[in-house]
Amino acid sequence: MRSVKHVVKLMEEIFKLNKNGNVIGYIGGKPAEELDIEKLCKLYSINFELAENYNPNADYFNENVVFVDNLNIQPTDLDITFNTQLYYYKNGIRTGESSGSAHTSASVPVVLEMNDAENVENLKVIKIPYGSKDDIESIDFASGARSISELIQSGEYKEWLDHNFEQSRKINNTFIAGEYIKLFKTLVSYK
């Protein structure tokens, strides 16, 4: 569904645009074997550190680093600004299902395709373009990195975070349950 390789490719492009440092990435979750820091260091030429080594008092201003967490325990002082949701299916872009987690936190989702759910949920997202929905290798990571960097440089990302936070408060489990109830009532009355 999501690929560590894709997140790292995006981070590599972001690091190229920010050669002076100050970019902190975070990759966490499963499968744990894909988040083995020794393997990542052999495959890619960016700076990886274990998430457990993250120090909120350290000065990361002059370096670009990606913290890796295969225990799925995000450091409490490491806030996520951009939440990568780069879904794919087999060798193509996944277009038939929306992300279930894009609206659950105050972040800016970075997506390939969410079935336009960002419009339904009224979210501000970064959409990374791709050449063909049938070729997962056609993702334009450089363009996505430029979009992210431009949003950061303009400072507009703060407004996006505020907006998405408000949406996350509205679109909660109670709201979703209510929408299901409305749907079921409509289906029952349709008979």
Side-chain angles (χ1 to χ4, degrees):
M1 278 185 23
R2 283 179 269 195
S3 165
V4 170
K5 174 183 163 185
H6 294 155
V7 174
V8 173
K9 282 184 170 186
L10 179 61
M11 292 303 302
E12 285 175 331
E13 293 298 327
I14 292 170
F15 287 1
K16 286 179 193 175
L17 294 173
N18 296 280
K19 291 183 170 94
N20 295 333
N22 78 357
V23 176
I24 297 175
Y26 169 79
I27 303 174
K30 297 181 181 184
E33 60 273 6
E34 285 191 39
L35 296 174
D36 180 277
I37 196 162
E38 290 180 20
K39 287 181 186 176
L40 290 171
C41 289
K42 288 178 185 174
L43 291 172
Y44 305 102
S45 60
I46 60 178
N47 184 15
F48 293 99
E49 295 284 340
L50 287 173
E52 61 196 49
N53 293 338
Y54 175 74
N55 179 352
N57 300 318
D59 181 9
Y60 297 108
F61 189 74
N62 294 319
E63 62 182 305
N64 292 320
V65 61
V66 174
F67 288 97
V68 179
D69 171 21
N70 63 7
L71 301 175
N72 205 20
I73 303 170
Q74 176 185 330
T76 54
D77 294 326
L78 187 60
D79 293 328
I80 304 298
T81 304
F82 295 93
N83 179 7
T84 54
Q85 300 284 326
L86 305 175
Y87 288 111
Y88 69 98
Y89 179 70
K90 296 186 179 175
N91 208 29
I93 308 299
R94 192 172 83 184
T95 60
E97 184 180 338
S98 300
S99 169
S101 65
H103 64 262
T104 60
S105 67
S107 64
V108 175
V110 178
V111 301
L112 295 171
E113 181 62 51
M114 286 189 351
N115 222 16
D116 281 335
E118 71 275 8
N119 294 322
V120 173
E121 298 173 1
N122 189 16
L123 293 174
K124 303 281 189 182
V125 304
I126 297 277
K127 275 198 167 187
I128 298 182
Y130 50 90
S132 167
K133 68 179 169 87
D134 298 318
D135 181 10
I136 194 67
E137 298 303 319
S138 70
I139 302 168
D140 187 353
F141 292 107
S143 175
R146 282 191 304 276
S147 295
I148 291 169
S149 291
E150 288 167 7
L151 192 63
I152 292 169
Q153 294 299 321
S154 72
E156 193 177 358
Y157 76 95
K158 295 173 189 172
E159 295 167 24
W160 286 33
L161 288 171
D162 290 343
H163 174 84
N164 287 353
F165 175 70
E166 288 304 315
Q167 289 308 105
S168 74
R169 291 178 59 184
K170 291 177 189 173
I171 304 173
N172 56 29
N173 291 340
T174 304
F175 173 82
I176 300 294
E179 293 299 300
Y180 273 117
I181 290 168
K182 286 183 202 174
L183 173 64
F184 294 144
K185 285 181 178 178
T186 302
L187 293 174
V188 168
S189 65
Y190 183 71
K191 287 184 173 184

